Amino acid sequence: MTPVQVAQLAVALACWVMTAIKIAHLVHRPRDRPLIFMCLTQTAITLALTVQPIAPQLDQALGVLGVSRALGNCLALVAVAAGHALIILLTAQDPAALRQVRHDLALAAASVAAIVAVFPLAPAPYDLADHYVRSIAYYTATPTPAEAPHTVLYLICLGWWVVHLAIAATRYARIASRPLLAVGTRLIAAGVLIGLAYVVAKLAAMIAASVGASTVVLDQLVLALYVVAILTVLIGGTVPAWGPRAGVDRLLDSLLARRDCRRLRPLWQIMHDAVPQIALRPRPVEPRLRRIRLTVEILDGYVLLSPWMSAGAEQEVRRHASGRPDPEAAVAARMLTLAISLKRAGRPPVDDPAAIRSFVDAAPGEHQANAAAQVQWLARIARVMRRQAGIRVRQPP
């Protein structure tokens, strides 16, 4: 085997390990629909990657040149279709979602059937005994559209699927409850986008081959994009399972806590400048504890400033905030600046205090506040205050 084939087999082995982890989980949860499609996705991807280094031996064993290429194409389509179904099931499992999953499976089956039907229409450009084939140069070179029309069909179908899968994965990442799950889904979206680059590079290589131009550089690029895309998707799909054991979740939580502290700090400084008694001592060093302290002190500041928040002023602010980006956060930010202005001017508390629940909670109708949602809400207020026109609140140096 060539060094490239050895590297491909090593990557395939790593993919089999990650796939085995998910299959082991499926044994204990056989009725888990998302897990079923996760296993189907990873198994199809891993098989497609495994076919690559053994393609010459597979063609020789089956006696058909190019059958390994067609098989890899079909497996890749099954993988992206199952991946799209997985994202749908992670989002919802109502009758509409199940109908969409059945539609995806039917469309994938039709795509595979079309490739199987087109594959035998083009005669093999070389004999299996040809030196060009036995030297595996045939397998590292990109075929022309005339030599492999099924590959053109495959690339068109794959391009359609990866666009839809990237959109679905990006949308799901925004609503994922666990940070590690959100990261994994974003990795899947990134891997799918790399797959789209693979489609473009492969089509470019086929066009170049059809006009007799050299495709050596494009062939190397295609292989690299193919392997990186598959690895990225597999890592993204399995990181929620092995990430906690490897400490990835703790590292991620610490990084997110540092980010949240940076986002909350400007709002905290504005609040501290107006009501310095919110600051507690000592200041925590650990990022997650610091994030909790900042959140609590900002909320305390809202409570201390609430006597200067008028219900009448709130109605007026809501009227002006209508139509602006993030109007609820704009209302909360404007009410805060008005309260600070009144307090600094020495004005007495208002006669019609507003209910501050809507200013400090993104979902005031819910009985229990989600800590992550609370942080995101306060960060939205901080972002609005940075760009808010009108009353500007002095920040400490």
Side-chain angles (χ1 to χ4, degrees):
M1 282 191 175
T2 66
V4 172
Q5 288 178 304
V6 173
Q8 287 177 314
L9 278 177
V11 172
L13 180 60
C15 292
W16 276 116
V17 171
M18 289 186 282
T19 303
I21 293 173
K22 283 298 180 183
I23 294 176
H25 292 163
L26 183 61
V27 171
H28 299 287
R29 293 182 289 167
R31 296 183 181 276
D32 189 328
R33 283 196 184 102
L35 187 56
I36 290 172
F37 280 92
M38 171 61 79
C39 290
L40 177 59
T41 302
Q42 292 187 189
T43 302
I45 289 176
T46 305
L47 284 171
L49 190 58
T50 305
V51 164
Q52 298 294 319
I54 64 171
Q57 293 82 2
L58 188 60
D59 284 357
Q60 293 289 339
L62 297 176
V64 181
L65 181 65
V67 70
S68 57
R69 209 172 250 164
L71 177 60
N73 294 347
C74 292
L75 288 169
L77 289 180
V78 170
V80 292
H84 191 254
L86 167 65
I87 298 298
I88 292 172
L89 291 173
L90 286 173
T91 306
Q93 296 189 38
D94 54 16
L98 296 179
R99 282 196 301 272
Q100 181 62 47
V101 169
R102 288 193 292 269
H103 176 269
D104 283 357
L105 296 178
L107 194 56
S111 302
V112 170
I115 291 175
V116 172
V118 171
F119 173 70
L121 298 181
Y126 303 96
D127 188 86
L128 282 170
D130 191 286
H131 176 71
Y132 181 66
V133 175
R134 289 191 170 276
S135 68
I136 77 165
Y138 166 80
Y139 296 95
T140 59
T142 299
T144 65
E147 292 174 345
H150 67 279
T151 301
V152 178
L153 178 60
Y154 153 72
L155 292 173
I156 294 172
C157 295
L158 183 64
W160 186 90
W161 275 112
V162 297
V163 169
H164 285 77
L165 179 53
I167 293 172
T170 303
R171 287 175 177 171
Y172 179 71
R174 294 172 184 166
I175 62 172
S177 56
R178 293 167 50 202
L180 206 56
L181 182 58
V183 168
T185 311
R186 287 190 172 92
L187 281 174
I188 291 175
V192 169
L193 290 176
I194 295 172
L196 186 60
Y198 156 79
V199 170
V200 174
K202 187 75 171 180
L203 284 172
M206 294 188 75
I207 294 172
S210 65
V211 298
S214 173
T215 62
V216 174
V217 175
L218 283 173
D219 290 340
Q220 294 174 346
L221 177 62
V222 165
L223 179 60
L225 289 172
Y226 184 81
V227 173
V228 171
I230 286 180
L231 277 177
T232 305
V233 169
L234 283 175
I235 292 172
T238 56
V239 70
W242 56 260
R245 297 187 183 93
V248 177
D249 57 337
R250 293 189 296 274
L251 175 61
L252 177 62
D253 194 21
S254 178
L255 292 175
L256 291 176
R258 291 177 186 275
R259 182 203 64 180
D260 291 338
C261 289
R262 287 195 301 270
R263 296 165 69 188
L264 293 176
R265 184 71 185 181
L267 179 59
W268 180 89
Q269 287 191 344
I270 291 173
M271 199 75 76
H272 179 264
D273 191 33
V275 279
Q277 59 267 39
I278 64 171
L280 302 175
R281 293 290 186 270
R283 308 302 298 173
V285 176
E286 205 279 325
R288 287 171 291 188
L289 294 177
R290 194 161 68 245
R291 176 174 58 188
I292 294 173
R293 178 69 65 82
L294 286 173
T295 302
V296 170
E297 291 177 357
I298 290 172
L299 295 177
D300 286 346
Y302 261 105
V303 172
L304 292 173
L305 291 169
S306 62
W308 288 273
M309 295 184 183
S310 165
E314 180 187 359
Q315 293 179 359
E316 184 69 15
V317 169
R318 288 191 180 279
R319 186 173 66 84
H320 286 288
S322 179
R324 290 187 179 184
D326 202 353
E328 289 300 320
V331 170
R334 186 61 176 169
M335 291 297 294
L336 178 60
T337 56
L338 288 174
I340 291 174
S341 178
L342 291 174
K343 182 178 183 299
R344 282 181 175 163
R347 302 283 292 275
V350 298
D351 297 327
D352 58 336
I356 67 167
R357 180 84 186 270
S358 61
F359 307 147
V360 300
D361 192 353
E366 297 183 2
H367 297 293
Q368 292 184 343
N370 179 281
Q374 182 72 78
V375 170
Q376 297 306 314
W377 168 245
L378 295 178
R380 285 163 57 190
I381 297 175
R383 183 169 59 248
V384 171
M385 292 196 72
R386 286 198 299 269
R387 63 170 184 255
Q388 181 174 272
I391 299 175
R392 295 190 179 274
V393 182
R394 179 181 61 84
Q395 294 191 23

